[in-house]
Amino acid sequence: EGAASGAGGEGGKGGVEGEGRPMLVFAVPGNPVSAAVTFQLTVVPALRRLAGWRDPRLRRMHVALGADLKLDNERPEYHRATLDWQHTHTGQQQQQ
């Protein structure tokens, strides 16, 4: 027998209940975009940890925004964005 509830995300009330053999359950929001974001932020690192990855965290990178964003100080926010890769030549590479 087990029960779980929401993990502090925005939106509705989460909940999973059931009986039977122990199993791992990941509950994601019903909105497709929210489900995809939640999956990437919580399920992927959890599955990587279960698979034995030394560092299961997602790769992060610092980028410059094209416009200012006003953020909510009370909770994390995630915004859609498009990356524009611009290559900067740093000199010749030497072969060893």
Side-chain angles (χ1 to χ4, degrees), residues 16 26-31 34-40 42-43:
V16 176
F26 295 101
V28 296
N31 176 293
S34 296
V37 170
T38 301
F39 183 86
Q40 287 297 317
T42 60
V43 179

Side-chain angles (χ1 to χ4, degrees), residues 2-16:
S5 62
E10 179 183 355
K13 298 175 183 142
V16 176

Side-chain angles (χ1 to χ4, degrees), residues 66-87:
D68 291 337
L69 285 176
K70 183 174 167 83
L71 300 176
D72 185 332
N73 291 329
E74 299 296 318
R75 63 176 185 222
E77 291 185 69
Y78 302 96
H79 295 267
R80 285 175 282 189
T82 302
L83 292 177
D84 180 16
W85 297 99
Q86 295 183 11
H87 175 73

